[in-house]
Amino acid sequence: MSTNKRCLRVVAALVLTGVSFAVVAAEVPASFDSKNCKAEYPKASLMNEEQGTVSMSFLVNADGSVADSKLDKTSGFKNLDKAAIKSISACKFKPGTKDGAPAQTWTKVDYAWKLD
């Protein structure tokens, strides 16, 4: 019976170690090149001299395409928010990784609309 208790302790230790390892798994979010991925200023926003920064999140697939997007913080102007999400969603991202392999990950993007 003492042999069975010893085996159970070893199994329990291995299970707990496995759980700890899973929590520490390395994840790197996706990214994109803002120089090659620009949104076109909405005409109505230009005429109204609207400016602001849109904060968004994108779910990026392992192939770099966007699977989903959401608005985290508005610029204060609906046209700017819509244009940013539409344009950035069409961009090709560098995929994120989990444990060193390309994987679907969420990433945050801030897009600043500024008039010169």
Side-chain angles (χ1 to χ4, degrees):
M1 197 156 215
S2 64
T3 306
N4 285 342
K5 286 182 183 177
R6 192 175 310 153
C7 287
L8 287 175
R9 285 185 197 146
V10 171
V11 170
L14 290 174
V15 170
L16 289 176
T17 303
V19 170
S20 297
F21 178 77
V23 171
V24 182
E27 182 176 315
V28 177
S31 60
F32 80 106
D33 183 1
S34 61
K35 293 176 186 167
N36 294 326
C37 187
K38 301 237 183 230
E40 188 174 328
Y41 226 106
K43 290 179 184 175
S45 296
L46 278 172
M47 291 187 338
N48 293 322
E49 297 181 355
E50 297 172 347
Q51 300 183 84
T53 300
V54 184
S55 296
M56 306 158 284
S57 293
F58 295 94
L59 180 61
V60 180
N61 292 318
D63 67 357
S65 63
V66 174
D68 195 10
S69 63
K70 63 182 180 178
L71 178 67
D72 294 332
K73 185 178 176 200
T74 180
S75 65
F77 302 99
K78 197 175 277 189
N79 285 339
L80 295 181
D81 297 345
K82 284 182 185 180
I85 287 180
K86 182 179 177 183
S87 296
I88 305 300
S89 290
C91 294
K92 185 77 169 176
F93 281 71
K94 177 182 176 190
T97 60
K98 287 184 183 173
D99 296 327
Q104 189 179 61
T105 60
W106 280 97
T107 190
K108 294 187 178 288
V109 175
D110 290 337
Y111 195 88
W113 295 97
K114 295 181 183 176
L115 295 169
D116 292 331

mmCIF file with all atom_site columns, all heavy atoms in Angstrom, residues 40-58:
data_model
loop_
_atom_site.group_PDB
_atom_site.id
_atom_site.type_symbol
_atom_site.label_atom_id
_atom_site.label_alt_id
_atom_site.label_comp_id
_atom_site.label_asym_id
_atom_site.label_entity_id
_atom_site.label_seq_id
_atom_site.pdbx_PDB_ins_code
_atom_site.Cartn_x
_atom_site.Cartn_y
_atom_site.Cartn_z
_atom_site.occupancy
_atom_site.B_iso_or_equiv
_atom_site.pdbx_formal_charge
_atom_site.auth_seq_id
_atom_site.auth_comp_id
_atom_site.auth_asym_id
_atom_site.auth_atom_id
_atom_site.pdbx_PDB_model_num
ATOM 1   N N   . GLU A 1 40 ? -7.220  55.429 -45.600 1.00 0.00 ? 40 GLU A N   1
ATOM 2   C CA  . GLU A 1 40 ? -7.532  56.654 -46.333 1.00 0.00 ? 40 GLU A CA  1
ATOM 3   C C   . GLU A 1 40 ? -8.449  57.521 -45.475 1.00 0.00 ? 40 GLU A C   1
ATOM 4   O O   . GLU A 1 40 ? -9.448  57.044 -44.926 1.00 0.00 ? 40 GLU A O   1
ATOM 5   C CB  . GLU A 1 40 ? -8.223  56.320 -47.660 1.00 0.00 ? 40 GLU A CB  1
ATOM 6   C CG  . GLU A 1 40 ? -8.407  57.527 -48.540 1.00 0.00 ? 40 GLU A CG  1
ATOM 7   C CD  . GLU A 1 40 ? -8.962  57.156 -49.912 1.00 0.00 ? 40 GLU A CD  1
ATOM 8   O OE1 . GLU A 1 40 ? -8.655  56.064 -50.404 1.00 0.00 ? 40 GLU A OE1 1
ATOM 9   O OE2 . GLU A 1 40 ? -9.699  57.989 -50.461 1.00 0.00 ? 40 GLU A OE2 1
ATOM 10  N N   . TYR A 1 41 ? -8.085  58.800 -45.354 1.00 0.00 ? 41 TYR A N   1
ATOM 11  C CA  . TYR A 1 41 ? -8.863  59.731 -44.542 1.00 0.00 ? 41 TYR A CA  1
ATOM 12  C C   . TYR A 1 41 ? -10.265 59.860 -45.139 1.00 0.00 ? 41 TYR A C   1
ATOM 13  O O   . TYR A 1 41 ? -10.418 60.159 -46.326 1.00 0.00 ? 41 TYR A O   1
ATOM 14  C CB  . TYR A 1 41 ? -8.190  61.108 -44.543 1.00 0.00 ? 41 TYR A CB  1
ATOM 15  C CG  . TYR A 1 41 ? -8.086  61.747 -43.180 1.00 0.00 ? 41 TYR A CG  1
ATOM 16  C CD1 . TYR A 1 41 ? -6.868  61.812 -42.514 1.00 0.00 ? 41 TYR A CD1 1
ATOM 17  C CD2 . TYR A 1 41 ? -9.197  62.306 -42.559 1.00 0.00 ? 41 TYR A CD2 1
ATOM 18  C CE1 . TYR A 1 41 ? -6.755  62.422 -41.266 1.00 0.00 ? 41 TYR A CE1 1
ATOM 19  C CE2 . TYR A 1 41 ? -9.100  62.911 -41.322 1.00 0.00 ? 41 TYR A CE2 1
ATOM 20  C CZ  . TYR A 1 41 ? -7.876  62.963 -40.670 1.00 0.00 ? 41 TYR A CZ  1
ATOM 21  O OH  . TYR A 1 41 ? -7.773  63.554 -39.428 1.00 0.00 ? 41 TYR A OH  1
ATOM 22  N N   . PRO A 1 42 ? -11.305 59.641 -44.375 1.00 0.00 ? 42 PRO A N   1
ATOM 23  C CA  . PRO A 1 42 ? -12.668 59.813 -44.900 1.00 0.00 ? 42 PRO A CA  1
ATOM 24  C C   . PRO A 1 42 ? -12.898 61.266 -45.329 1.00 0.00 ? 42 PRO A C   1
ATOM 25  O O   . PRO A 1 42 ? -12.507 62.202 -44.620 1.00 0.00 ? 42 PRO A O   1
ATOM 26  C CB  . PRO A 1 42 ? -13.557 59.450 -43.710 1.00 0.00 ? 42 PRO A CB  1
ATOM 27  C CG  . PRO A 1 42 ? -12.685 58.644 -42.794 1.00 0.00 ? 42 PRO A CG  1
ATOM 28  C CD  . PRO A 1 42 ? -11.301 59.167 -42.993 1.00 0.00 ? 42 PRO A CD  1
ATOM 29  N N   . LYS A 1 43 ? -13.513 61.457 -46.487 1.00 0.00 ? 43 LYS A N   1
ATOM 30  C CA  . LYS A 1 43 ? -13.722 62.811 -47.031 1.00 0.00 ? 43 LYS A CA  1
ATOM 31  C C   . LYS A 1 43 ? -14.514 63.706 -46.079 1.00 0.00 ? 43 LYS A C   1
ATOM 32  O O   . LYS A 1 43 ? -14.167 64.867 -45.882 1.00 0.00 ? 43 LYS A O   1
ATOM 33  C CB  . LYS A 1 43 ? -14.402 62.722 -48.394 1.00 0.00 ? 43 LYS A CB  1
ATOM 34  C CG  . LYS A 1 43 ? -13.495 62.173 -49.450 1.00 0.00 ? 43 LYS A CG  1
ATOM 35  C CD  . LYS A 1 43 ? -14.182 62.065 -50.793 1.00 0.00 ? 43 LYS A CD  1
ATOM 36  C CE  . LYS A 1 43 ? -13.219 61.412 -51.786 1.00 0.00 ? 43 LYS A CE  1
ATOM 37  N NZ  . LYS A 1 43 ? -13.826 61.153 -53.065 1.00 0.00 ? 43 LYS A NZ  1
ATOM 38  N N   . ALA A 1 44 ? -15.572 63.164 -45.495 1.00 0.00 ? 44 ALA A N   1
ATOM 39  C CA  . ALA A 1 44 ? -16.386 63.962 -44.572 1.00 0.00 ? 44 ALA A CA  1
ATOM 40  C C   . ALA A 1 44 ? -15.564 64.387 -43.346 1.00 0.00 ? 44 ALA A C   1
ATOM 41  O O   . ALA A 1 44 ? -15.705 65.503 -42.853 1.00 0.00 ? 44 ALA A O   1
ATOM 42  C CB  . ALA A 1 44 ? -17.622 63.176 -44.129 1.00 0.00 ? 44 ALA A CB  1
ATOM 43  N N   . SER A 1 45 ? -14.694 63.504 -42.892 1.00 0.00 ? 45 SER A N   1
ATOM 44  C CA  . SER A 1 45 ? -13.840 63.825 -41.740 1.00 0.00 ? 45 SER A CA  1
ATOM 45  C C   . SER A 1 45 ? -12.820 64.901 -42.088 1.00 0.00 ? 45 SER A C   1
ATOM 46  O O   . SER A 1 45 ? -12.502 65.755 -41.263 1.00 0.00 ? 45 SER A O   1
ATOM 47  C CB  . SER A 1 45 ? -13.124 62.569 -41.238 1.00 0.00 ? 45 SER A CB  1
ATOM 48  O OG  . SER A 1 45 ? -14.057 61.632 -40.754 1.00 0.00 ? 45 SER A OG  1
ATOM 49  N N   . LEU A 1 46 ? -12.314 64.863 -43.329 1.00 0.00 ? 46 LEU A N   1
ATOM 50  C CA  . LEU A 1 46 ? -11.398 65.915 -43.787 1.00 0.00 ? 46 LEU A CA  1
ATOM 51  C C   . LEU A 1 46 ? -12.104 67.262 -43.801 1.00 0.00 ? 46 LEU A C   1
ATOM 52  O O   . LEU A 1 46 ? -11.564 68.257 -43.310 1.00 0.00 ? 46 LEU A O   1
ATOM 53  C CB  . LEU A 1 46 ? -10.881 65.600 -45.194 1.00 0.00 ? 46 LEU A CB  1
ATOM 54  C CG  . LEU A 1 46 ? -9.715  64.642 -45.309 1.00 0.00 ? 46 LEU A CG  1
ATOM 55  C CD1 . LEU A 1 46 ? -9.464  64.291 -46.770 1.00 0.00 ? 46 LEU A CD1 1
ATOM 56  C CD2 . LEU A 1 46 ? -8.468  65.251 -44.685 1.00 0.00 ? 46 LEU A CD2 1
ATOM 57  N N   . MET A 1 47 ? -13.307 67.285 -44.375 1.00 0.00 ? 47 MET A N   1
ATOM 58  C CA  . MET A 1 47 ? -14.058 68.535 -44.472 1.00 0.00 ? 47 MET A CA  1
ATOM 59  C C   . MET A 1 47 ? -14.399 69.097 -43.088 1.00 0.00 ? 47 MET A C   1
ATOM 60  O O   . MET A 1 47 ? -14.399 70.310 -42.899 1.00 0.00 ? 47 MET A O   1
ATOM 61  C CB  . MET A 1 47 ? -15.340 68.338 -45.288 1.00 0.00 ? 47 MET A CB  1
ATOM 62  C CG  . MET A 1 47 ? -15.059 68.082 -46.748 1.00 0.00 ? 47 MET A CG  1
ATOM 63  S SD  . MET A 1 47 ? -16.493 68.022 -47.878 1.00 0.00 ? 47 MET A SD  1
ATOM 64  C CE  . MET A 1 47 ? -17.866 67.647 -46.879 1.00 0.00 ? 47 MET A CE  1
ATOM 65  N N   . ASN A 1 48 ? -14.655 68.208 -42.136 1.00 0.00 ? 48 ASN A N   1
ATOM 66  C CA  . ASN A 1 48 ? -15.012 68.640 -40.781 1.00 0.00 ? 48 ASN A CA  1
ATOM 67  C C   . ASN A 1 48 ? -13.794 68.783 -39.862 1.00 0.00 ? 48 ASN A C   1
ATOM 68  O O   . ASN A 1 48 ? -13.956 69.072 -38.676 1.00 0.00 ? 48 ASN A O   1
ATOM 69  C CB  . ASN A 1 48 ? -16.011 67.658 -40.163 1.00 0.00 ? 48 ASN A CB  1
ATOM 70  C CG  . ASN A 1 48 ? -17.339 67.679 -40.870 1.00 0.00 ? 48 ASN A CG  1
ATOM 71  O OD1 . ASN A 1 48 ? -17.812 68.730 -41.291 1.00 0.00 ? 48 ASN A OD1 1
ATOM 72  N ND2 . ASN A 1 48 ? -17.945 66.516 -41.019 1.00 0.00 ? 48 ASN A ND2 1
ATOM 73  N N   . GLU A 1 49 ? -12.616 68.574 -40.430 1.00 0.00 ? 49 GLU A N   1
ATOM 74  C CA  . GLU A 1 49 ? -11.348 68.676 -39.699 1.00 0.00 ? 49 GLU A CA  1
ATOM 75  C C   . GLU A 1 49 ? -11.324 67.812 -38.432 1.00 0.00 ? 49 GLU A C   1
ATOM 76  O O   . GLU A 1 49 ? -10.862 68.218 -37.370 1.00 0.00 ? 49 GLU A O   1
ATOM 77  C CB  . GLU A 1 49 ? -11.031 70.135 -39.365 1.00 0.00 ? 49 GLU A CB  1
ATOM 78  C CG  . GLU A 1 49 ? -10.844 70.986 -40.610 1.00 0.00 ? 49 GLU A CG  1
ATOM 79  C CD  . GLU A 1 49 ? -10.505 72.439 -40.310 1.00 0.00 ? 49 GLU A CD  1
ATOM 80  O OE1 . GLU A 1 49 ? -10.498 72.839 -39.119 1.00 0.00 ? 49 GLU A OE1 1
ATOM 81  O OE2 . GLU A 1 49 ? -10.230 73.171 -41.268 1.00 0.00 ? 49 GLU A OE2 1
ATOM 82  N N   . GLU A 1 50 ? -11.805 66.588 -38.574 1.00 0.00 ? 50 GLU A N   1
ATOM 83  C CA  . GLU A 1 50 ? -11.828 65.652 -37.455 1.00 0.00 ? 50 GLU A CA  1
ATOM 84  C C   . GLU A 1 50 ? -10.465 64.983 -37.290 1.00 0.00 ? 50 GLU A C   1
ATOM 85  O O   . GLU A 1 50 ? -9.839  64.584 -38.274 1.00 0.00 ? 50 GLU A O   1
ATOM 86  C CB  . GLU A 1 50 ? -12.904 64.577 -37.689 1.00 0.00 ? 50 GLU A CB  1
ATOM 87  C CG  . GLU A 1 50 ? -14.301 65.152 -37.756 1.00 0.00 ? 50 GLU A CG  1
ATOM 88  C CD  . GLU A 1 50 ? -15.356 64.155 -38.178 1.00 0.00 ? 50 GLU A CD  1
ATOM 89  O OE1 . GLU A 1 50 ? -14.999 63.055 -38.657 1.00 0.00 ? 50 GLU A OE1 1
ATOM 90  O OE2 . GLU A 1 50 ? -16.540 64.483 -38.061 1.00 0.00 ? 50 GLU A OE2 1
ATOM 91  N N   . GLN A 1 51 ? -10.025 64.857 -36.054 1.00 0.00 ? 51 GLN A N   1
ATOM 92  C CA  . GLN A 1 51 ? -8.768  64.194 -35.719 1.00 0.00 ? 51 GLN A CA  1
ATOM 93  C C   . GLN A 1 51 ? -8.985  63.363 -34.457 1.00 0.00 ? 51 GLN A C   1
ATOM 94  O O   . GLN A 1 51 ? -9.874  63.660 -33.672 1.00 0.00 ? 51 GLN A O   1
ATOM 95  C CB  . GLN A 1 51 ? -7.652  65.210 -35.439 1.00 0.00 ? 51 GLN A CB  1
ATOM 96  C CG  . GLN A 1 51 ? -7.339  66.133 -36.587 1.00 0.00 ? 51 GLN A CG  1
ATOM 97  C CD  . GLN A 1 51 ? -6.176  67.039 -36.241 1.00 0.00 ? 51 GLN A CD  1
ATOM 98  O OE1 . GLN A 1 51 ? -5.033  66.645 -36.397 1.00 0.00 ? 51 GLN A OE1 1
ATOM 99  N NE2 . GLN A 1 51 ? -6.465  68.243 -35.770 1.00 0.00 ? 51 GLN A NE2 1
ATOM 100 N N   . GLY A 1 52 ? -8.148  62.359 -34.265 1.00 0.00 ? 52 GLY A N   1
ATOM 101 C CA  . GLY A 1 52 ? -8.230  61.564 -33.043 1.00 0.00 ? 52 GLY A CA  1
ATOM 102 C C   . GLY A 1 52 ? -7.511  60.242 -33.203 1.00 0.00 ? 52 GLY A C   1
ATOM 103 O O   . GLY A 1 52 ? -7.058  59.894 -34.289 1.00 0.00 ? 52 GLY A O   1
ATOM 104 N N   . THR A 1 53 ? -7.412  59.518 -32.113 1.00 0.00 ? 53 THR A N   1
ATOM 105 C CA  . THR A 1 53 ? -6.756  58.215 -32.114 1.00 0.00 ? 53 THR A CA  1
ATOM 106 C C   . THR A 1 53 ? -7.776  57.128 -31.809 1.00 0.00 ? 53 THR A C   1
ATOM 107 O O   . THR A 1 53 ? -8.537  57.234 -30.845 1.00 0.00 ? 53 THR A O   1
ATOM 108 C CB  . THR A 1 53 ? -5.620  58.175 -31.068 1.00 0.00 ? 53 THR A CB  1
ATOM 109 O OG1 . THR A 1 53 ? -4.674  59.194 -31.400 1.00 0.00 ? 53 THR A OG1 1
ATOM 110 C CG2 . THR A 1 53 ? -4.923  56.830 -31.054 1.00 0.00 ? 53 THR A CG2 1
ATOM 111 N N   . VAL A 1 54 ? -7.780  56.098 -32.646 1.00 0.00 ? 54 VAL A N   1
ATOM 112 C CA  . VAL A 1 54 ? -8.667  54.952 -32.491 1.00 0.00 ? 54 VAL A CA  1
ATOM 113 C C   . VAL A 1 54 ? -7.854  53.814 -31.890 1.00 0.00 ? 54 VAL A C   1
ATOM 114 O O   . VAL A 1 54 ? -6.772  53.493 -32.384 1.00 0.00 ? 54 VAL A O   1
ATOM 115 C CB  . VAL A 1 54 ? -9.219  54.484 -33.866 1.00 0.00 ? 54 VAL A CB  1
ATOM 116 C CG1 . VAL A 1 54 ? -10.210 53.352 -33.692 1.00 0.00 ? 54 VAL A CG1 1
ATOM 117 C CG2 . VAL A 1 54 ? -9.836  55.634 -34.623 1.00 0.00 ? 54 VAL A CG2 1
ATOM 118 N N   . SER A 1 55 ? -8.372  53.193 -30.834 1.00 0.00 ? 55 SER A N   1
ATOM 119 C CA  . SER A 1 55 ? -7.736  52.013 -30.244 1.00 0.00 ? 55 SER A CA  1
ATOM 120 C C   . SER A 1 55 ? -8.582  50.795 -30.598 1.00 0.00 ? 55 SER A C   1
ATOM 121 O O   . SER A 1 55 ? -9.786  50.780 -30.325 1.00 0.00 ? 55 SER A O   1
ATOM 122 C CB  . SER A 1 55 ? -7.619  52.151 -28.730 1.00 0.00 ? 55 SER A CB  1
ATOM 123 O OG  . SER A 1 55 ? -6.773  53.227 -28.405 1.00 0.00 ? 55 SER A OG  1
ATOM 124 N N   . MET A 1 56 ? -7.931  49.805 -31.200 1.00 0.00 ? 56 MET A N   1
ATOM 125 C CA  . MET A 1 56 ? -8.631  48.621 -31.685 1.00 0.00 ? 56 MET A CA  1
ATOM 126 C C   . MET A 1 56 ? -7.880  47.361 -31.281 1.00 0.00 ? 56 MET A C   1
ATOM 127 O O   . MET A 1 56 ? -6.696  47.414 -30.985 1.00 0.00 ? 56 MET A O   1
ATOM 128 C CB  . MET A 1 56 ? -8.722  48.655 -33.213 1.00 0.00 ? 56 MET A CB  1
ATOM 129 C CG  . MET A 1 56 ? -9.319  49.915 -33.780 1.00 0.00 ? 56 MET A CG  1
ATOM 130 S SD  . MET A 1 56 ? -8.851  50.205 -35.512 1.00 0.00 ? 56 MET A SD  1
ATOM 131 C CE  . MET A 1 56 ? -7.169  50.787 -35.332 1.00 0.00 ? 56 MET A CE  1
ATOM 132 N N   . SER A 1 57 ? -8.583  46.233 -31.337 1.00 0.00 ? 57 SER A N   1
ATOM 133 C CA  . SER A 1 57 ? -7.967  44.922 -31.147 1.00 0.00 ? 57 SER A CA  1
ATOM 134 C C   . SER A 1 57 ? -8.315  44.067 -32.352 1.00 0.00 ? 57 SER A C   1
ATOM 135 O O   . SER A 1 57 ? -9.433  44.140 -32.874 1.00 0.00 ? 57 SER A O   1
ATOM 136 C CB  . SER A 1 57 ? -8.485  44.241 -29.879 1.00 0.00 ? 57 SER A CB  1
ATOM 137 O OG  . SER A 1 57 ? -8.061  44.930 -28.740 1.00 0.00 ? 57 SER A OG  1
ATOM 138 N N   . PHE A 1 58 ? -7.327  43.262 -32.790 1.00 0.00 ? 58 PHE A N   1
ATOM 139 C CA  . PHE A 1 58 ? -7.515  42.382 -33.936 1.00 0.00 ? 58 PHE A CA  1
ATOM 140 C C   . PHE A 1 58 ? -7.127  40.960 -33.572 1.00 0.00 ? 58 PHE A C   1
ATOM 141 O O   . PHE A 1 58 ? -6.093  40.746 -32.931 1.00 0.00 ? 58 PHE A O   1
ATOM 142 C CB  . PHE A 1 58 ? -6.649  42.849 -35.120 1.00 0.00 ? 58 PHE A CB  1
ATOM 143 C CG  . PHE A 1 58 ? -7.061  44.194 -35.649 1.00 0.00 ? 58 PHE A CG  1
ATOM 144 C CD1 . PHE A 1 58 ? -6.453  45.348 -35.197 1.00 0.00 ? 58 PHE A CD1 1
ATOM 145 C CD2 . PHE A 1 58 ? -8.070  44.304 -36.590 1.00 0.00 ? 58 PHE A CD2 1
ATOM 146 C CE1 . PHE A 1 58 ? -6.833  46.588 -35.666 1.00 0.00 ? 58 PHE A CE1 1
ATOM 147 C CE2 . PHE A 1 58 ? -8.466  45.542 -37.068 1.00 0.00 ? 58 PHE A CE2 1
ATOM 148 C CZ  . PHE A 1 58 ? -7.846  46.689 -36.605 1.00 0.00 ? 58 PHE A CZ  1
#
